[in-house]
Amino acid sequence: MLKTLLKQVKEYKLASFLTPLFMVLEVICEMIIPILMAKIVDDGIGFNNPNGGSMGVIFRVGAMMIVIALLGLFAGLGGAYYGSQASTGFAKNLRKAMFDNIQTFSFANIDKFSTSGLVTRLTTDVTNIQNAYMMTLRMAMRAPASLIIAMVAAFTISPRLASIYLVAVLFLSVLMVIIMNTATKYFKQVFEKYDKLNESVQENVSAIRVVKAYVREEYENDKFKKAALNIYHMFVKAEKNLVMISPVMSGTVYICILLVSWFGAHMIVSNELTTGGLMSLLTYCMTILMNLMMLGMIFVMLTMAQASGKRIAEVIEEKATITNKDGAVKEVKDGSISFEHVDFAYNTTSEEPVLKDINLDIKSGETIGIIGGTGSAKSSLVNLISRLYDVTKGSIKVGGVDVRDYDMETLRDQVSVVLQKNVLFSGTILDNLRWGDKNATEEECKRACRMACADEFIERMPDGYNTEIEQSGTNVSGGQRQRLCIARALLKKPKILILDDSTSAVDTATDAKIRKAFAEEIPGTTKLIIAQRISSVQNCDRIIVMDDGCVNGFGTHEELLKTNEIYREVYESQTGASGDADFDQAG
């Protein structure tokens, strides 16, 4: 894990090196100050000088103290500056490394982590690592260095009194290790709860219109409150284990001060210790124990960061389940599609595959309709063509070549998919359309919109093609969003066009216009149209009837009416020729 994370320090190695260097310099300056104070007390004021004090010593040593204090201030500022630069830069690189790797993920990888889990790792977990890295560079170097130097200085002044500090340090160190081991397991669980909280927020905000339409605000509030309470309870459990650290440390500090004062006073009386030496020892006492408390805080932060670090490393180290082969094919010859004994399961451990023994042969330029009941695996079937998932068994060929042998960018450029869930991004309509082809001219965009019947509503908008689309396309209707997504897919000029129930929100007249435009404008493109309406597919060259992950029928509209019971019953129900059959009712 550490090796994976520290690789992302990259260009911030110098800042990461300079930060602890400045912190050590600051500590050295701070440790010199008590020694100079002792000299002023003993020689300048003259507590241990029979000839009295010396103003010369006071001015000379005082000037040295000012110079060293200023040097310490400069070192502290340098440590803060470079520490901030290193930690924020490290966090930036971690986010970029994760995001870059996420872009290579297949749908299977995304399913493994979940969207909300990835959001938590990119935000909360990285922030924890950033804070811990800052604390490690500054305090984790400063505190031990300060503690060690103060301990050495204390032993130099009086080994007997310094032994009190040593015992206190050993006692508190053992206590912190015991407490931190207990708290660690709770911090690991906290971030899993964060995933649930983010999932609740993401789902609620994206579906806020549905929530309001069904007056479910109170229900959603209760669900969010439960998720937030789960995090609260986990933190309380962890903090209960840590709550004893502060009072025990404070008590230890006061006991040390009392013991050093008591024994130190007796040693001054017997001339074993000077007054300035006792003052220095008390200063070192506070320094040692305060830095020990600081180490306790660092351990808390590092414990949280350890859990976050593992989650971040998982994303960075995750290997995409779908990758290019060496010598991948860079050209798709045509839009022919062949399924050869294809099985597919989303989970390799599943007992039953989603698709079972699919055999299809589709010619380039054909228009193929795909119909079937809910859960019949229509979307799963077309997702395999552009290799969004890999087959479990068998093979799929596009243009006569197995899709696993293609360069993925080449394949997906030639297999344009309008997914079931239509997504638009914030920006203008032209910006969204150019996702299909970033170099497309405005005229090319308009032509694609005419084919998708999107031009009619775009031209009625005040700014036309420069109209701003809000995030997720919330300022356009479902049918308008579908037509814009179809136009975007057409701009790729693909050899295969897949419409996954992409005209469900469009009226039948517009649906017919879109199909007519496809037939006239892109006759050489293979078109696969998933639909629930028979009218959307009955004029296709051939129609696939899916049922429970299998191909129940494959033929023309007329052939299926004669030979396929499911197709015939649904056709009769939708045209009013028969009872109430539907795709979700078996024939």
Side-chain angles (χ1 to χ4, degrees), residues 23-275:
M23 299 318 297
V24 170
L25 179 60
E26 184 186 21
V27 167
I28 291 170
C29 293
E30 286 183 0
M31 293 303 104
I32 292 172
I33 297 291
I35 296 171
L36 296 177
M37 284 178 62
K39 188 165 183 64
I40 287 177
V41 170
D42 292 338
D43 299 334
I45 299 173
F47 278 132
N48 291 306
N49 190 342
N51 298 319
S54 169
M55 289 300 295
V57 171
I58 293 174
F59 284 127
R60 188 168 61 253
V61 177
M64 289 174 63
M65 287 177 67
I66 292 170
V67 171
I68 290 170
L70 289 173
L71 182 60
L73 175 64
F74 168 76
L77 290 172
Y81 172 77
Y82 286 110
S84 299
Q85 190 181 67
S87 60
T88 53
F90 181 41
K92 177 202 74 175
N93 287 346
L94 283 175
R95 287 193 179 97
K96 187 176 185 304
M98 277 197 289
F99 193 80
D100 286 349
N101 202 35
I102 289 168
Q103 299 308 303
T104 70
F105 285 1
S106 66
F107 281 13
N109 295 114
I110 299 292
D111 294 341
K112 174 183 174 181
F113 289 105
S114 82
T115 305
S116 57
L118 290 171
V119 170
T120 306
R121 291 166 203 246
L122 281 161
T123 52
T124 305
D125 286 322
V126 172
T127 300
N128 285 338
I129 293 292
Q130 178 181 335
N131 293 336
Y133 193 62
M134 164 75 92
M135 187 70 87
T136 301
L137 289 179
R138 296 188 66 201
M139 295 301 114
M141 180 58 72
R142 188 188 194 286
S146 184
L147 192 150
I148 292 167
I149 293 171
M151 187 68 76
V152 170
F155 268 94
T156 302
I157 296 169
S158 173
R160 198 190 336 173
L161 294 180
S163 299
I164 298 172
Y165 303 154
L166 185 60
V167 172
V169 167
L170 293 174
F171 165 70
L172 291 175
S173 298
V174 171
L175 178 70
M176 279 195 296
V177 169
I178 294 171
I179 292 174
M180 292 312 303
N181 282 337
T182 310
T184 299
K185 63 179 181 180
Y186 294 114
F187 284 122
K188 288 178 180 177
Q189 296 172 27
V190 162
F191 299 108
E192 294 173 8
K193 303 294 182 184
Y194 268 122
D195 290 349
K196 296 293 183 186
L197 185 72
N198 278 346
E199 185 179 343
S200 176
V201 172
Q202 181 185 7
E203 188 176 56
N204 181 272
V205 173
S206 61
I208 192 67
R209 286 167 174 76
V210 179
V211 173
K212 290 188 176 296
Y214 283 86
V215 197
R216 296 285 281 177
E217 292 92 342
E218 188 174 344
Y219 170 79
E220 288 295 316
N221 285 339
D222 288 340
K223 191 168 77 171
F224 180 83
K225 184 179 178 181
K226 286 177 183 176
L229 274 173
N230 281 332
I231 293 176
Y232 163 77
H233 289 311
M234 293 308 299
F235 266 118
V236 167
K237 285 180 181 178
E239 295 297 338
K240 277 181 180 177
N241 287 274
L242 302 173
V243 74
M244 288 301 295
I245 290 180
S246 184
V248 170
M249 282 191 167
S250 297
T252 305
V253 168
Y254 296 137
I255 290 170
C256 285
I257 290 172
L258 287 172
L259 290 174
V260 169
S261 299
W262 175 263
F263 290 112
H266 284 284
M267 291 175 72
I268 290 171
V269 171
S270 60
N271 291 322
E272 295 178 64
L273 184 69
T274 65
T275 305

Side-chain angles (χ1 to χ4, degrees), residues 234-471:
M234 293 308 299
F235 266 118
V236 167
K237 285 180 181 178
E239 295 297 338
K240 277 181 180 177
N241 287 274
L242 302 173
V243 74
M244 288 301 295
I245 290 180
S246 184
V248 170
M249 282 191 167
S250 297
T252 305
V253 168
Y254 296 137
I255 290 170
C256 285
I257 290 172
L258 287 172
L259 290 174
V260 169
S261 299
W262 175 263
F263 290 112
H266 284 284
M267 291 175 72
I268 290 171
V269 171
S270 60
N271 291 322
E272 295 178 64
L273 184 69
T274 65
T275 305
L278 179 59
M279 285 183 63
S280 296
L281 281 170
L282 290 172
T283 303
Y284 288 134
C285 172
M286 294 301 295
T287 299
I288 290 168
L289 297 173
M290 287 302 105
N291 279 289
L292 197 60
M293 290 179 74
M294 184 64 70
L295 281 174
M297 291 173 59
I298 293 168
F299 280 129
V300 172
M301 190 165 283
L302 288 178
T303 302
M304 293 176 65
Q306 183 182 16
S308 291
K310 286 180 180 177
R311 287 160 54 85
I312 291 169
E314 281 175 358
V315 177
I316 295 174
E317 292 170 355
E318 178 76 4
K319 300 296 182 186
T321 57
I322 298 176
T323 55
N324 287 331
K325 286 184 175 180
D326 292 335
V329 178
K330 298 272 188 176
E331 183 183 357
V332 179
K333 186 175 69 174
D334 57 46
S336 61
I337 305 167
S338 175
F339 283 73
E340 298 176 359
H341 300 290
V342 169
D343 283 6
F344 170 68
Y346 287 102
N347 191 332
T348 53
T349 60
S350 299
E351 293 181 9
E352 281 289 319
V354 176
L355 292 167
K356 292 161 274 205
D357 197 31
I358 304 296
N359 289 282
L360 294 168
D361 193 12
I362 299 167
K363 296 172 185 174
S364 183
E366 275 194 297
T367 300
I368 304 295
I370 304 173
I371 62 173
T374 304
S376 60
K378 303 184 296 295
S379 296
S380 300
L381 181 79
V382 296
N383 283 340
L384 298 176
I385 297 171
S386 57
R387 210 184 168 202
L388 298 176
Y389 292 96
D390 264 341
V391 298
T392 307
K393 183 181 174 184
S395 67
I396 299 172
K397 292 180 179 178
V398 170
V401 177
D402 193 312
V403 292
R404 290 168 292 195
D405 294 331
Y406 278 114
D407 172 73
M408 281 189 290
E409 188 174 335
T410 301
L411 176 66
R412 290 172 185 171
D413 268 340
Q414 294 301 324
V415 181
S416 198
V417 184
V418 182
L419 295 170
Q420 196 168 14
K421 292 182 180 178
N422 298 289
V423 177
L424 294 174
F425 299 89
S426 53
T428 66
I429 288 176
L430 281 175
D431 290 337
N432 273 276
L433 292 172
R434 284 176 177 142
W435 273 66
D437 179 2
K438 62 182 178 182
N439 298 315
T441 64
E442 189 169 338
E443 186 52 45
E444 287 175 321
C445 292
K446 288 180 178 179
R447 179 177 177 273
C449 287
R450 282 194 293 272
M451 279 194 281
C453 294
D455 58 321
E456 55 190 46
F457 72 83
I458 295 173
E459 288 168 0
R460 290 199 302 269
M461 291 179 167
D463 297 319
Y465 286 83
N466 291 310
T467 300
E468 286 288 330
I469 296 291
E470 294 176 6
Q471 187 178 12

